[in-house]
Amino acid sequence: MSISVRAEDFDVGAEMAAMTKGRVDIGALVSFTGLVRDMAAGSEMVLEHYPGMTEKALASIETAAQDRWELQDCRIIHRYGPLDAGAQIVLVLTASPHRQAAFEAAAFIMDFLKSRAPFWKKEAGSGWVDAREADEDALDRWS
Amino acid sequence: MQVLYFAWMRERIGVPKEEVETSAETVAELVEELKSREPRYAAAFEDMAAVRVAVDQELVELTAPLEGVREVAFFPPMTGG
């Protein structure tokens, strides 16, 4: 289980390879990548976060997923700072003996990350992005 | 205690953090105290439905007590991912 909050980009393939390296017990590896979308090419977004609380919030979401599903490993990478349209923002990897746990745990982690991890998006031009009610409602399915 | 502000709350108040001396017993009391100080606070805390709060880096409700607390943070609903 691990968390990385950083400005630098990530390599999805390398992260997946690192998770399965030297293991033969993992049956399912799910990967979710979030990208900067809906912005004009060449425009920029800035992601602000709350250093300290961000890591705690992500670790707590990861622990909740681990308590609920049989996970063999889990990794969350979330970037902050200036990001161009099309850039990778977030990566969630979940590994499990069977696919259902890996799929569900990755969806659970993303749903909670969206409205419980202290990140805020500001788009150049249009300003701070409003939270979507649908993101908050998405948590209901896990209660 | 240290009071931190993020996103548009930081912009409206004009500082990312500040040391606040207060006898407020709850987060809600602290908000009222700040609002009475200067218009920039009143503007930032105008719509409390749009404000989230963390005490010592844990999300809490406005009714949360402040006794022994070192850090309070105010920010809008989160938009990560």
Side-chain angles (χ1 to χ4, degrees):
Chain A
M1 308 283 154
S2 64
I3 303 289
S4 173
V5 180
R6 64 196 201 188
E8 305 79 55
D9 200 6
F10 49 82
D11 178 335
V12 179
E15 294 293 338
M16 292 176 80
M19 188 166 281
T20 54
K21 187 173 167 44
R23 299 183 67 155
V24 292
D25 57 331
I26 294 172
L29 176 59
V30 164
S31 157
F32 171 86
T33 306
L35 308 170
V36 180
R37 66 172 182 101
D38 279 352
M39 296 199 318
S43 67
E44 197 185 67
M45 183 186 83
V46 177
L47 248 165
E48 179 172 333
H49 80 119
Y50 181 173
M53 180 174 168
T54 309
E55 290 81 356
K56 278 189 194 174
L58 294 178
S60 133
I61 293 167
E62 208 174 57
T63 302
Q66 202 181 356
D67 289 347
R68 192 159 171 159
W69 289 279
E70 187 187 354
L71 295 182
Q72 293 164 310
D73 203 355
C74 179
R75 179 154 172 76
I76 304 174
I77 301 178
H78 204 302
R79 297 176 68 193
Y80 60 83
L83 294 168
D84 293 330
Q88 305 186 122
I89 305 178
V90 59
L91 174 70
V92 173
L93 293 183
T94 50
S96 173
H98 304 288
R99 69 184 183 282
Q100 194 175 354
F103 274 132
E104 288 182 3
F108 171 94
I109 288 169
M110 275 310 302
D111 281 354
F112 277 85
L113 184 154
K114 279 271 182 189
S115 40
R116 294 290 183 271
F119 288 98
W120 302 274
K121 293 189 181 105
K122 187 180 192 179
E123 288 177 6
S126 54
W128 294 101
V129 173
D130 285 328
R132 296 168 63 235
E133 216 161 286
D135 286 338
E136 191 64 34
D137 294 346
L139 302 186
D140 293 344
R141 70 168 159 147
W142 304 111
S143 59
Chain B
M1 68 186 71
Q2 284 280 323
V3 180
L4 287 73
Y5 310 102
F6 292 94
W8 54 256
M9 294 217 57
R10 170 178 53 72
E11 291 179 344
R12 282 185 201 176
I13 289 167
V15 292
K17 65 176 167 181
E18 59 189 336
E19 185 68 29
V20 173
E21 293 296 329
T22 179
S23 53
E25 290 180 3
T26 65
V27 172
E29 284 181 29
L30 174 63
V31 168
E32 288 311 309
E33 199 178 300
L34 291 170
K35 280 168 77 173
S36 68
R37 285 187 174 184
E38 287 178 52
R40 61 193 168 108
Y41 291 99
F45 289 107
E46 189 181 13
D47 176 13
M48 288 307 293
V51 175
R52 299 289 177 270
V53 55
V55 155
D56 287 337
Q57 304 190 353
E58 297 277 353
L59 280 173
V60 296
E61 301 292 325
L62 283 170
T63 50
L66 289 179
E67 194 183 348
V69 164
R70 284 168 303 169
E71 188 173 297
V72 178
F74 294 103
F75 41 79
M78 294 156 270
T79 55

